[in-house]
Amino acid sequence: MSPLEIFFIFSAGITLVAAAMVVTARNLVHSAWWLILTLFGVAVLFALLNASFFAVIQVVIYIGAISILIIFAIMMTRRVAQDTGPKFNKDWGLAVAVSLFLFGGVTWMLSTWENFNIAPPTMPVDTDPLRQLGQALVSPDAYVLPFELASVLLLAALVGSIIIAWEKK
Amino acid sequence: MTFLSDPISSIGNWLENFLIGLGLAPNFSALIVTAIGAFVLAAFGLMIVLLLIWFERKAVARMQDRLGPNRIGPYGIFQSVADTLKLLTKEYITPAGADKVVYNLAPLFAVMAVLGIWAVIPFAATVYGSDINVGALYIVAVGAIGVLAIIMAGWSSNNKYALLGAFRVVSQLLCYEVPLVITLLIPVMLAGSMGMNAIVMAQDTWFIFLAPLGFLIFLIASIAEVGRAPFDLLEADSEIVAGFNIEYSGMKFGMFFVAEFLHAFTIGAVVATLFLGGWRGPGAETYPILGTIYFFIKAFIVYFIVVWARGTFPRIRIDQMLNFSWKFLTPLALVLLIVMAVQLKLVEGSPTWVYVTSSFAVNVLIAFGTIHLLRSFARRERKRVSEERPLATAPESDFQQI
Amino acid sequence: MIPLSYYLVFAAALFSIGVFGVLARKNAVAIIMGIELMLNAVNVNLLAFWRYLEPGWITGQAFAIIVFAVAAAEVAVGLALVISIYRRRRTIAVDEIDLLKW
């Protein structure tokens, strides 16, 4: 067990425990705090994968914007100050079965793949992944079309969410 | 001589060899040396707050034609120590029904968010915490953790006024983050890299001369991000009842206070690195100590501008604040970014003086265009407000009735 | 060295926890949190495959960026819908929002 593996197991374990608390916490705001811990754990894993840009973007977008949006939405949709009543709906047993089946099925299918346990290849040293990513997102024979479509999607989401949540006076 | 040209690595190597000589494994001793380095940086940040608080109180007092602290120590220099001792001896009162874990974590996250920024700022060519290649974006990410700390503080106090105050602060901070990130892209674009060291090395001419309007927008957005005057509606001394930190006492409140002042100085450090050339100056490459001195002088100059703004401007209302950001700063920053990107592409490969004068000219043109637009809007608004309204009765009919 | 299987099993586990959150919770905002967990698991998977199979190509990273953008857009619109439903029906428990049922 190299120190890197121990560190991975530690952070992945914390992330999974936090994710389990997200879906089982009674108090919805506690779910939000656990979600923030989960997202931070995923950022740590991105840093372990040599994707430093994505680790920082994860913190900026998910923790800095999306989590705050979720907390605002929780505060604005509480009828009473405390959460009462059951937190799961009546089919939660079926949900447990479906998710266990999904996890088991995916893991079994992947374990029959011959590259399942490969070690990471060395990163090509002369490229700067950040510069490569920037050029790939705007060059016409790379990914400029998904990039432009994503920006149109963001514009539509921006305008749409403002109109949907507009209070008619 | 390596000590003079590369002090941090030589101290680090000496410590590591010392620890290995004591019998520790090499990995472990490297970890301990890194932890000691982080601790020294954090301790430095927290210690300098005492000096900053004294400086601000004296400067603002002189602007307001009074003396400021002058009893404790010569020129009142130990006033911050007295305030710290007072805060340390106050009782911690936790409100009933508060969520204890989150309530106690919030001040820690607030200070963490500010100290984390100091890890990527280069003090000299070889004196820095860590040189990641996404340093500029890391600063934004760590600032987002500060926003999170405010929501945690507001929600966990079990006080609806603290919660509303926290929401208003967060909406202000999120809304000024947009022009901040857009103008942060201007030095990144000029330097061709997001790493802070690379940005400093690319400033043969300081970026404030290449993008003065970008410097102004970044400074205004940063002052709003800290929550200082004139944007301090939410935690000002006369409005403190609706602030997010009203349920905190003692050193927990002290942590929020320290975080705010340290953040103001950190803005000075970040602006000095991005726009004023960081540690660069005559002789800074060979003697890192000179680089550090230049860096601190520049950071203090920007900090003084921030304090000056506090002492001069009146507070603005929250709706004026939000309008100013969304309707003025964000479109201006976007226009500036796009025009500068086009201009830089057009003058690529030209000699330096073409590059500098064209960037400066573009900024000045956009500033003049904006002022002209604002003036015509204001003129139209004045005309609309001052036009004659019809009177209720005709002017001469009263006198003819008698 | 960390073998690829660690990341894939982690991503599968995170995705299944997200699926459980979506299928079993009553509150609409909790369901949206489950969706966020699933999108994060997808990102971990994309970047793990990028790093372990072809770190010289940029495809994995480009699509991870697109997933980030789509997740942000979807959360914004989803929460706007939830707030709008709360204003009309005063509830966001999904089994009480059943006007379209026969």
Side-chain angles (χ1 to χ4, degrees):
Chain A
M1 276 280 172
S2 65
L4 207 58
E5 280 190 20
I6 298 180
F7 182 66
F8 173 85
I9 292 180
F10 176 66
S11 43
I14 290 186
T15 312
L16 286 176
V17 165
M21 295 301 295
V22 169
V23 296
T24 56
R26 167 167 294 278
N27 188 342
L28 205 53
V29 188
H30 285 172
S31 273
W33 304 134
W34 288 115
L35 181 69
I36 289 175
L37 184 61
T38 313
L39 296 172
F40 194 73
V42 171
V44 168
L45 286 181
F46 285 164
L48 275 177
L49 276 171
N50 288 113
S52 55
F53 178 66
F54 286 91
V56 176
I57 286 280
Q58 169 91 353
V59 176
V60 172
I61 293 185
Y62 271 101
I63 300 180
I66 291 182
S67 312
I68 295 181
L69 183 58
I70 288 182
I71 292 178
F72 269 57
I74 293 175
M75 304 289 178
M76 284 172 69
T77 55
R78 288 152 80 86
R79 202 179 353 172
V80 292
Q82 314 296 342
D83 303 288
T84 51
K87 54 188 196 277
F88 294 142
N89 57 26
K90 56 181 174 32
D91 294 323
W92 66 273
L94 194 58
V96 172
V98 166
S99 60
L100 281 177
F101 178 64
L102 189 64
F103 174 65
V106 167
T107 316
W108 173 74
M109 249 181 12
L110 280 174
S111 65
T112 60
W113 179 47
E114 79 266 3
N115 275 343
F116 190 51
N117 268 315
I118 58 177
T122 50
M123 299 273 297
V125 289
D126 54 340
T127 56
D128 180 12
L130 200 55
R131 181 175 288 263
Q132 234 187 332
L133 179 64
Q135 282 172 338
L137 282 176
V138 293
S139 90
D141 45 341
Y143 299 100
V144 71
L145 189 58
F147 180 66
E148 296 297 331
L149 285 177
S151 49
V152 172
L153 174 71
L154 282 171
L155 180 67
L158 178 67
V159 173
S161 56
I162 290 178
I163 291 184
I164 291 175
W166 195 275
E167 283 213 53
K168 298 201 172 35
K169 300 246 177 7
Chain B
M1 265 304 126
T2 50
F3 177 70
L4 266 185
S5 68
D6 198 355
I8 302 294
S9 316
S10 51
I11 296 180
N13 283 337
W14 177 81
L15 259 177
E16 224 176 297
N17 291 332
F18 175 67
L19 284 173
I20 293 179
L22 282 183
L24 286 173
N27 275 343
F28 198 51
S29 70
L31 188 66
I32 291 186
V33 169
T34 316
I36 291 179
F39 177 73
V40 165
L41 191 59
F44 160 74
L46 292 175
M47 287 297 121
I48 207 174
V49 171
L50 298 178
L51 178 66
L52 296 173
I53 295 180
W54 169 79
F55 177 75
E56 159 148 3
R57 286 174 75 163
K58 284 300 248 187
V60 169
R62 292 286 171 160
M63 284 181 210
Q64 294 170 347
D65 203 19
R66 54 184 174 90
L67 286 177
N70 60 351
R71 287 201 173 272
I72 308 188
Y75 294 106
I77 212 167
F78 295 126
Q79 179 71 38
S80 313
V81 178
D83 283 335
T84 312
L85 286 174
K86 172 197 82 166
L87 282 175
L88 279 171
T89 55
K90 279 200 175 200
E91 176 190 358
Y92 291 144
I93 303 178
T94 310
D99 197 351
K100 294 213 172 24
V101 173
V102 179
Y103 180 80
N104 290 323
L105 273 180
L108 292 179
F109 275 25
V111 179
M112 241 169 61
V114 180
L115 283 178
I117 299 184
W118 284 95
V120 291
I121 295 182
F123 295 99
T126 48
V127 179
Y128 48 81
S130 67
D131 184 23
I132 56 180
N133 65 339
V134 284
L137 204 54
Y138 168 85
I139 291 181
V140 177
V142 171
I145 298 184
V147 177
L148 192 66
I150 293 177
I151 288 198
M152 285 167 67
W155 181 76
S156 64
S157 304
N158 198 23
N159 180 338
K160 55 178 175 288
Y161 298 108
L163 190 62
L164 286 176
F167 279 170
R168 289 201 305 174
V169 176
V170 167
S171 67
Q172 173 193 332
L173 293 186
L174 287 180
C175 118
Y176 276 93
E177 208 170 303
V178 177
L180 186 83
V181 175
I182 296 177
T183 33
L184 186 71
L185 284 179
I186 294 182
V188 167
M189 209 168 54
L190 288 169
S193 160
M194 276 202 237
M196 298 296 263
N197 255 333
I199 292 180
V200 172
M201 294 305 283
Q203 290 192 47
D204 291 325
T205 38
W206 292 359
F207 287 161
I208 188 176
F209 299 120
L210 294 180
L213 194 57
F215 165 76
L216 266 177
I217 300 177
F218 189 80
L219 192 62
I220 295 175
S222 300
I223 295 180
E225 276 290 307
V226 179
R228 285 177 71 87
F231 300 100
D232 66 346
L233 181 72
L234 307 151
E235 45 95 54
D237 302 331
S238 60
E239 317 232 0
I240 199 79
V241 165
F244 62 89
N245 50 11
I246 51 178
E247 294 284 359
Y248 285 92
S249 54
M251 208 55 202
K252 293 181 199 167
F253 174 74
M255 290 279 112
F256 280 117
F257 201 61
V258 158
E260 185 193 329
F261 275 93
L262 189 57
H263 202 167
F265 185 63
T266 309
I267 291 176
V270 169
V271 169
T273 310
L274 289 176
F275 287 97
L276 291 180
W279 48 260
R280 289 181 74 135
E285 280 86 0
T286 42
Y287 297 113
I289 190 77
L290 272 184
T292 317
I293 294 178
Y294 294 145
F295 170 76
F296 274 107
I297 291 177
K298 292 175 194 174
F300 257 107
I301 289 177
V302 182
Y303 180 64
F304 178 66
I305 296 180
V306 172
V307 169
W308 193 3
R310 173 193 176 155
T312 315
F313 294 118
R315 198 169 295 142
I316 63 180
R317 276 194 336 253
I318 184 127
D319 61 321
Q320 291 171 334
M321 201 179 342
L322 297 176
N323 280 344
F324 181 61
S325 164
W326 288 120
K327 297 186 186 171
F328 179 67
L329 279 187
T330 306
L332 184 62
L334 278 172
V335 164
L336 181 69
L337 182 70
I338 295 175
V339 172
M340 276 202 79
V342 170
Q343 171 254 329
L344 284 174
K345 193 69 187 170
L346 286 176
V347 300
E348 215 173 29
S350 312
T352 315
W353 68 269
V354 171
Y355 173 68
V356 171
T357 47
S358 59
S359 308
F360 189 74
V362 158
N363 273 277
V364 168
L365 273 173
I366 293 182
F368 272 130
T370 313
I371 294 178
H372 179 78
L373 265 174
L374 285 175
R375 251 204 241 149
S376 66
F377 272 137
R379 204 177 305 143
R380 244 189 303 157
E381 190 70 16
R382 271 192 295 246
K383 215 188 318 181
R384 183 185 70 89
V385 167
S386 72
E387 68 192 5
E388 299 269 332
R389 272 176 283 181
L391 296 174
T393 57
E396 278 122 44
S397 57
D398 285 336
F399 300 123
Q400 291 170 357
Q401 294 293 339
I402 298 178
Chain C
M1 286 293 110
I2 305 175
L4 178 60
S5 52
Y6 283 28
Y7 284 105
L8 296 183
V9 168
F10 167 79
L14 194 60
F15 191 83
S16 326
I17 295 177
V19 165
F20 173 71
V22 167
L23 292 177
R25 296 276 285 191
K26 273 171 67 160
N27 196 313
V29 181
I31 294 179
I32 290 185
M33 287 199 256
I35 297 179
E36 286 310 300
L37 290 178
M38 290 199 278
L39 285 165
N40 271 288
V42 165
N43 260 336
V44 170
N45 230 338
L46 270 173
L47 286 174
F49 278 128
W50 164 74
R51 174 74 180 87
Y52 280 72
L53 292 183
E54 288 284 354
W57 285 4
I58 205 67
T59 312
Q61 291 202 349
F63 278 101
I65 290 260
I66 306 287
V67 170
F68 268 114
V70 168
E74 164 245 340
V75 165
V77 177
L79 288 174
L81 282 171
V82 164
I83 291 177
S84 179
I85 289 176
Y86 178 75
R87 286 203 191 123
R88 295 197 204 290
R89 305 280 298 153
R90 305 303 291 174
T91 179
I92 50 169
V94 291
D95 45 2
E96 294 175 24
I97 307 173
D98 55 357
L99 279 180
L100 282 178
K101 266 180 145 170
W102 57 87

